[in-house]
Amino acid sequence: MAVGALPFPLMHPVAGITLGTTCAGIKQTVRDDLLVVEMATDSTCAAVFTQNAFCAAPVHVAKAHLSKSPRWLLINSGNANAGTGASGIENALSSCAGLAKWVNGDADQVLPFSTGVIGEPLRVDKIQAALPSAVKDLSINHWEKAARAIMTTDTFAKGASKIIEIEGKSITISGISKGAGMIQPNMATMLAFIATDAKIIQPLLQECLTEATEQSFNRITVDGDTSTNDACVLMASGASEAPELQAGTPAYKVFSQAVLAICKELAEAIVRDGEGATKLMRIVVTSAASDEEAVRVGKTIAHSPLVKTAFFASDPNWGRILAAVGRSGIDDMVLEAVDIYLGDVCIVKAGERAAGYTEAAGQHVMNQEEISVTVSLGRGQARQEILTCDFSYDYVRINAEYRT
């Protein structure tokens, strides 16, 4: 069950970027599970990756290939190729070489990505056999097919797209993401692939992506688990007639804000599709001494199983929120300065139960599908927002049955 499952949006094709999918039968044979993305010659490419120490084999290979002017992405679902040691690296490299053969490129120009079960050998034979079909399917219009091919426990395909104008010329930005569980990114998301036709040098594109992911994908959590395979890629084909973007200019600011908006849309879609989720929760921390402090408090609340299960039960047990704030590790917190709101209902004022709070008012908010929790720390000017969801019976069922 997803919180307000989103219909797949109208996706604007990005000149210079094509996508092709097919079914390789890696874990199932009902839908496509292999995606190839091709970038035009002279495209630039940026990426961020998981901070999990046990990062998957494709993460190691993609990191190494990122500096080789990549032209292709190869993504499979159904198998993470993580926890697979040296053979996993060999399988990732072999997959890259297999694609390179069909597109007349170099293996180190391919960035591989995998998502699915950890610890199982990647069926490279199935990928190799399916590659010709995926390459033949390449098209600028296959964004929805691509979004569906990378899904695992997702219940809906996730996409976002927009066109902006720079000096009278249009720039298109389109992206897809996947993820529903094992979400606490520490860099990006489970997997996200964003493309634009803007002209921009690689270092500036990397800066744009890093800043955007910090304020979007790094502000979501479903269950507090950081995946071994998290990655987010931003590709720029340079096919737009708009002038090349330069750091510090108004044009670059417009572009970077648009990239951030796309990332935020994709990140929120992941939380809405959290495994078993029935509620979307916005944890807003204000008046913090720093952004880091605000994020710490927000994630402590968002990660609390007691808070998340109370929200699933629509139980206004505000003491669980108060307790999470108190154990967030903030030095010298002045309790009398802390206010907490559930929606627009003040539940804690000056560190204690608000005099006007009623259980009925709290229950009215908790009955809603989308709920905000606002914590004012009274310590400074920093403000941050964390998106999360509740824990339901289905979350346990989905993850208990994941390998069956």
Side-chain angles (χ1 to χ4, degrees):
M1 183 187 305
V3 184
L6 302 174
F8 197 76
L10 171 67
M11 298 291 286
H12 303 291
V14 179
I17 303 293
T18 56
L19 310 95
T21 70
T22 193
C23 180
I26 294 170
K27 186 180 179 182
Q28 49 75 42
T29 57
V30 176
R31 60 176 178 82
D32 289 355
D33 57 3
L34 192 68
L35 167 63
V36 171
V37 181
E38 183 172 66
M39 295 171 260
T41 305
D42 298 327
S43 295
T44 54
C45 184
V48 287
F49 301 94
T50 182
Q51 294 179 20
N52 192 310
F54 271 105
C55 60
V59 172
H60 285 292
V61 175
K63 283 182 176 181
H65 289 186
L66 188 59
S67 63
K68 306 296 183 180
S69 300
R71 288 277 318 283
W72 297 274
L73 309 183
L74 175 60
I75 306 106
N76 75 270
S77 62
N79 185 302
N81 193 14
T84 48
S87 64
I89 298 291
E90 292 175 6
N91 286 339
L93 290 170
S94 177
S95 298
C96 292
L99 177 57
K101 180 181 70 173
W102 289 104
V103 294
N104 296 317
D106 296 329
D108 60 6
Q109 289 183 294
V110 178
L111 304 184
F113 303 91
S114 299
T115 180
V117 177
I118 293 171
E120 299 292 332
L122 182 65
R123 290 296 303 272
V124 180
D125 57 329
K126 291 187 175 184
I127 292 176
Q128 300 278 22
L131 281 171
S133 177
V135 171
K136 185 178 180 180
D137 190 57
L138 287 169
S139 167
I140 63 172
N141 296 312
H142 285 172
W143 283 96
E144 184 171 0
K145 290 183 65 180
R148 296 190 183 283
I150 63 175
M151 291 167 54
T152 49
T153 58
D154 306 62
T155 64
F156 63 88
K158 303 165 181 67
S161 184
K162 66 168 48 191
I163 297 176
I164 60 174
E165 190 171 287
I166 301 291
E167 297 185 16
K169 302 295 184 179
S170 65
I171 288 178
T172 301
I173 308 169
S174 294
I176 56 174
S177 66
K178 65 81 54 182
M182 198 181 280
I183 303 285
Q184 208 283 92
N186 279 338
M187 52 93 259
T189 180
M190 294 294 87
L191 290 178
F193 305 103
I194 304 165
T196 178
D197 54 5
K199 295 183 182 70
I200 181 170
I201 61 173
Q202 199 280 336
L204 188 57
L205 189 70
Q206 184 67 54
E207 179 181 321
C208 178
L209 178 62
T210 300
E211 291 178 353
T213 53
E214 182 61 27
Q215 295 300 318
S216 56
F217 297 118
N218 277 0
R219 297 292 183 267
I220 64 171
T221 178
V222 167
D223 45 26
D225 275 310
T226 296
S227 168
T228 54
N229 292 63
D230 290 347
C232 180
V233 179
L234 177 57
M235 301 164 277
S237 69
S240 169
E241 294 181 0
E244 182 173 335
L245 297 167
Q246 304 291 335
T249 62
Y252 174 73
K253 183 176 182 180
V254 170
F255 173 76
S256 62
Q257 288 177 340
V259 170
L260 174 58
I262 291 290
C263 289
K264 283 186 172 181
E265 282 188 52
L266 295 174
E268 181 170 321
I270 288 172
V271 178
R272 286 182 176 277
D273 200 20
E275 290 174 339
T278 69
K279 295 182 187 294
L280 177 73
M281 295 138 63
R282 300 181 188 275
I283 314 298
V284 183
V285 181
T286 67
S287 302
S290 65
D291 287 345
E292 293 76 15
E293 181 175 279
V295 170
R296 187 186 313 167
V297 173
K299 285 193 173 181
T300 303
I301 299 169
H303 290 160
S304 168
L306 292 179
V307 170
K308 294 165 83 70
T309 50
F311 274 82
F312 170 62
S314 298
D315 178 11
N317 189 347
W318 58 268
R320 294 183 176 182
I321 301 172
L322 183 72
V325 174
R327 67 176 175 82
S328 59
I330 303 303
D331 295 332
D332 304 320
M333 183 183 293
V334 179
L335 303 183
E336 292 78 12
V338 176
D339 298 336
I340 303 177
Y341 288 80
L342 192 60
D344 59 1
V345 175
C346 184
I347 55 178
V348 173
K349 187 69 176 177
E352 60 182 84
R353 177 178 173 140
Y357 173 73
T358 66
E359 187 82 356
Q363 188 65 62
H364 175 73
V365 176
M366 291 296 282
N367 289 339
Q368 301 169 15
E369 271 195 357
E370 298 186 26
I371 303 170
S372 64
V373 175
T374 303
V375 179
S376 176
L377 297 176
R379 293 165 56 84
Q381 302 299 316
R383 179 191 185 278
Q384 289 291 319
E385 179 178 301
I386 304 296
L387 294 183
T388 191
C389 57
D390 58 340
F391 267 165
S392 69
Y393 304 128
D394 278 344
Y395 178 85
V396 177
R397 178 189 58 78
I398 289 167
N399 283 283
E401 299 173 357
Y402 186 63
R403 297 204 307 163
T404 59

